[in-house]
Amino acid sequence: MPSETAAPVTGVAPEPGVAKPDPILSVSGLRKSFGGLVAVHVDHLECQRGTITGLIGPNGAGKTTMFNLLTGFDRADAGTWSFDGSQLEGMLAYQIPRTGLVRTFQLTKALAKMTVLDNMTLAATTQRGERLRECLVRPLWRQQEREIEARADALLERFNLAHMRTEYAGTLSGGQRKLLEMARALMVEPRMLLLDEPTAGVNPALLQSIFDHVRELRDDGMTVMFVEHAMDVVMGISDWVVCMVEGQVIAEGPPASIATNDAVIDAYLGAKRTEEAQTGGGG
Amino acid sequence: MDIVEVLADAIRVAIGPLAAAYALAAVGLNLQFGYTGLLNFGHVAFLMVGAYGTAITVDQGGPLWLGLLVGVAAAVALGLLFGLPTLRLRADYLAIVTIAAAEVLRILIRGPGEDSLTRGVFGIQRFGNDFFDLNPFPNGEYGIGRVSFTERGLWVLTVAWALVAVFTVLVVLLTRSPWGRVLRAIREDEDAARSLGKNVFVLKLQSLVIGGVIGAFSGMLLAIDRQSVNPDSYLPVVTFAIYTVLILGGPASRLGPIVGAVLYWFVIQFTEGFAREAIRAGWIPESVLDETDIGALRFALVGLGLMLLMIFRPQGILGKREEVLIDAQ
């Protein structure tokens, strides 16, 4: 199992809200309700630096909502959270990536009418050519643009998208779009990635490739947290697994401990079974 | 029937100051709508504040150059007024606010009496003399064959198309820079741009204001050419005519606004002239169409043309077909 390659979360008790030795992301008292429904209510959650954390839970457990809150795409009712020394609560969605925390979306947001390369170069931060005062004078940003393009090309190569460089992103397949979105997020030079269902709508062959990339990133020192439905997939790749049900973290721990955790099996699989009975297995 | 005269007349309008002013307005709208995806349905208000800023300043005894500055400043203020409250919201809110605000502003200008600053329904006249004093062309007729202009017309024409050229180049430079790349990202998916650390709000505001200032130049140009401003020249239908021009030419294309404006005014003028001549010559019986219907007919034909365009060439004349096809997926 690949999870053997790194197990930096040793000596930490598998209980909800447990403190980690070197947390890069730390969430406290995070709360969000929509009308009467409490969508997210997380007392405490820490994410260890340099690990892959899988976030699981049945539909409606609040996983995506939590991502939205953490990244400023939705406003929390209460709570504080910090990322690598920056307090994020109250920050706007566009300010958070600049701290080094970048997210992707469940429904891929590849910019279809822009070329693959434009998607990549767009994502680089602190571009002089993006300032209105400087953008008219090409010599001011030409050098930086070249460097950005070189970085983009290297990433496209790594994600097997180099041959699509000048195509519109709209011509990519679903799996390629997921890869592009990940590669694009890396252009921001983040220290942590929040991937919202990186495998949704991806065929099994590409799925393996996506997880290989995630693992490589972790080995390069990146912290990754990702949302996923399928338990077996999560278990294979995660160093640590967090299970949410009805907005709360009901369990966390190494994959093996989660797989045998009664609360998880009851709540998560139980809910899954009921849901399958109701919807005919969608999810 | 004199088909040559009808043609000459249509060409004169299609390259005249009116077409140039519409091209200019469409260049501004192209930045806002074509490249940024902002649904500005109150573009006519930018033309109006530009024109009134100039007219009022000169009417109150100021020089023309100051009037032009006031017109630009008014457009910047209007862009901020439109943008600050709405650009954080979904795109449709901007559409609602701009169409309503443009009408409110027009009615406010129209409201007061003759002694007021705006002179109400009477409007302001003869504020462009300084502009015509600068005319370097000697008296005479200029042109080829029957397509000719007086020295006054030629002067307006020269300045008008020069402005179109300058602002077209400006928009090209802006949109091919990384700044323009962010605009295109915003047009497609604001949240994607935000998730990559782009300050979407500020860029939308910049686009709205710059496009508005270009619109103001169009308004100033038209007003100076006519030597008159009147609130009833700034009805919402003008905005939609500018949209027609832009969609004809192809949104987010560099020369689309120019091609669109020339074609739009050619078709309008040609159908009018042709129908009038045809009725006079007895080709079309009065019972089917009389001269008072011509105004409506020409817009009906433009509408038909737009429909055909959307069916057979949805990207407009100069737009990129691939972009439209991707949308359809």
Side-chain angles (χ1 to χ4, degrees):
Chain A
M1 290 304 279
S3 55
E4 290 160 8
T5 52
V9 214
T10 46
V12 176
E15 25 187 73
V18 66
K20 315 284 191 309
D22 182 16
I24 189 168
L25 180 71
S26 173
V27 183
S28 283
L30 185 64
R31 215 184 141 86
K32 174 74 185 178
S33 40
F34 297 106
L37 176 84
V38 179
V40 170
H41 187 185
V42 173
D43 287 332
H44 194 77
L45 182 65
E46 290 183 3
C47 194
Q48 170 73 8
R49 187 187 308 271
T51 61
I52 299 173
T53 303
L55 182 58
I56 61 170
N59 276 338
K63 308 180 295 291
T64 295
T65 307
M66 183 164 82
F67 269 23
N68 287 343
L69 296 175
L70 294 180
T71 53
F73 279 84
D74 210 336
R75 197 180 292 248
D77 299 335
T80 56
W81 59 103
S82 63
F83 170 76
D84 213 10
S86 315
Q87 285 303 128
L88 299 190
E89 67 273 1
M91 271 198 197
L92 296 170
Y94 79 90
Q95 295 168 320
I96 288 173
R98 297 175 181 188
T99 67
L101 177 67
V102 176
R103 70 166 304 174
T104 66
F105 294 88
Q106 185 176 354
L107 296 170
T108 324
K109 290 188 185 293
L111 299 161
K113 287 189 213 173
M114 294 169 72
T115 64
V116 168
L117 184 66
D118 275 349
N119 263 274
M120 297 291 288
T121 49
L122 165 77
T125 49
T126 58
Q127 297 191 40
R128 293 187 72 183
E130 280 180 8
R131 291 185 216 142
L132 189 53
R133 251 173 286 157
E134 300 185 42
C135 73
L136 286 174
V137 191
R138 201 173 204 169
L140 288 179
W141 47 266
R142 192 189 290 147
Q143 183 55 33
Q144 191 189 21
E145 181 77 3
R146 280 201 201 108
E147 289 159 18
I148 290 169
E149 261 184 44
R151 204 148 60 79
D153 278 329
L155 278 169
L156 287 177
E157 196 69 48
R158 175 170 171 186
F159 282 81
N160 302 320
L161 290 168
H163 60 294
M164 303 297 282
R165 190 175 188 269
T166 55
E167 302 290 326
Y168 281 105
T171 61
L172 298 181
S173 72
Q176 285 176 320
R177 285 183 203 210
K178 287 281 181 199
L179 287 174
L180 174 62
E181 210 185 10
M182 253 168 78
R184 190 176 66 187
L186 293 178
M187 286 297 291
V188 186
E189 300 186 305
R191 272 161 292 142
M192 177 168 182
L193 281 177
L194 296 176
L195 307 175
D196 197 352
E197 296 205 30
T199 61
V202 173
N203 72 49
L206 259 179
L207 191 140
Q208 207 44 54
S209 154
I210 285 176
F211 281 134
D212 287 344
H213 285 299
V214 171
R215 220 170 272 135
E216 257 176 54
L217 289 174
R218 189 257 329 261
D219 295 343
D220 292 346
M222 179 87 66
T223 311
V224 180
M225 185 184 232
F226 72 104
V227 166
E228 185 57 69
H229 278 292
M231 275 260 264
D232 48 339
V233 179
V234 182
M235 297 306 163
I237 182 176
S238 309
D239 302 312
W240 192 260
V241 177
V242 175
C243 179
M244 278 180 83
V245 173
E246 289 172 3
Q248 304 196 24
V249 174
I250 60 154
E252 60 173 305
S257 80
I258 291 296
T260 55
N261 184 305
D262 284 344
V264 175
I265 292 167
D266 273 4
Y268 181 77
L269 294 183
K272 186 88 177 165
R273 253 180 239 129
T274 328
E275 176 192 306
E276 272 168 11
Q278 282 164 357
T279 63
Chain B
M1 132 173 225
D2 189 354
I3 190 76
V4 179
E5 185 54 41
V6 170
L7 256 178
D9 212 34
I11 293 171
R12 204 180 302 128
V13 172
I15 62 171
L18 192 59
Y22 270 67
L24 196 53
V27 168
L29 188 63
N30 197 20
L31 185 65
Q32 299 168 339
F33 171 72
Y35 289 102
T36 324
L38 299 174
L39 270 180
N40 169 17
F41 276 168
H43 201 48
V44 68
F46 288 108
L47 276 67
M48 184 166 61
V49 298
Y52 265 93
T54 306
I56 290 173
T57 309
V58 176
D59 193 42
Q60 297 297 316
L64 185 64
W65 63 264
L66 183 65
L68 298 179
L69 280 183
V70 170
V72 170
V76 172
L78 185 69
L80 297 176
L81 186 72
F82 277 179
L84 286 174
T86 56
L87 288 180
R88 284 189 207 279
L89 306 171
R90 272 203 337 264
D92 359 3
Y93 289 96
L94 181 70
I96 296 164
V97 166
T98 47
I99 195 169
E103 265 298 87
V104 168
L105 198 61
R106 187 183 69 82
I107 290 163
L108 281 178
I109 285 174
R110 197 178 190 279
E114 199 182 352
D115 299 331
S116 69
L117 214 54
T118 66
R119 303 193 184 276
V121 292
F122 300 97
I124 302 167
Q125 286 79 34
R126 308 202 57 74
F127 45 82
N129 293 341
D130 286 2
F131 174 77
F132 293 105
D133 289 346
L134 292 175
N135 190 349
F137 301 111
N139 279 353
E141 284 280 316
Y142 299 86
I144 304 158
R146 294 206 222 176
V147 183
S148 68
F149 298 89
T150 62
E151 77 284 351
R152 182 192 187 278
L154 185 67
W155 173 227
V156 176
L157 206 68
T158 310
V159 173
W161 287 110
L163 279 175
V164 172
V166 166
F167 283 113
T168 300
V169 169
L170 177 77
V171 169
V172 167
L173 289 177
L174 283 173
T175 53
R176 75 170 189 191
S177 74
W179 184 82
R181 186 163 58 207
V182 183
L183 289 195
R184 282 183 290 136
I186 291 171
R187 178 184 67 183
E188 254 194 87
D189 195 324
E190 286 183 19
D191 281 345
R194 267 191 206 102
S195 76
L196 300 170
K198 306 301 171 192
N199 192 343
V200 170
F201 177 71
V202 164
L203 268 98
K204 286 205 286 190
L205 200 58
Q206 289 173 338
S207 166
L208 186 67
V209 168
I210 296 170
V213 167
I214 300 175
F217 272 99
S218 163
M220 296 189 281
L221 185 73
L222 271 180
I224 289 172
D225 178 41
R226 291 179 187 149
Q227 284 268 43
S228 155
V229 286
N230 187 293
D232 294 331
S233 326
Y234 301 100
L235 293 166
V237 66
V238 177
T239 299
F240 295 108
I242 300 166
Y243 266 97
T244 307
V245 162
L246 182 57
I247 290 165
L248 261 178
S253 66
R254 289 170 176 183
L255 299 177
I258 298 172
V259 171
V262 169
L263 195 67
Y264 175 83
W265 283 109
F266 180 83
V267 170
I268 293 261
Q269 193 59 34
F270 184 80
T271 47
E272 172 161 347
F274 186 82
R276 183 155 291 139
E277 289 288 323
I279 291 167
R280 282 192 193 141
W283 297 356
I284 303 173
E286 292 264 347
S287 56
V288 177
L289 188 77
D290 65 38
E291 289 202 24
T292 54
D293 296 332
I294 290 173
L297 173 77
R298 58 185 198 172
F299 285 113
L301 284 174
V302 168
L304 182 68
L306 262 186
M307 277 192 263
L308 292 173
L309 188 79
M310 287 297 107
I311 294 166
F312 295 108
R313 206 177 160 79
Q315 72 273 33
I317 293 166
L318 295 178
K320 290 186 187 144
R321 185 164 187 84
E322 304 91 318
E323 292 191 358
V324 178
L325 290 178
I326 283 167
D327 234 7
Q329 278 176 1

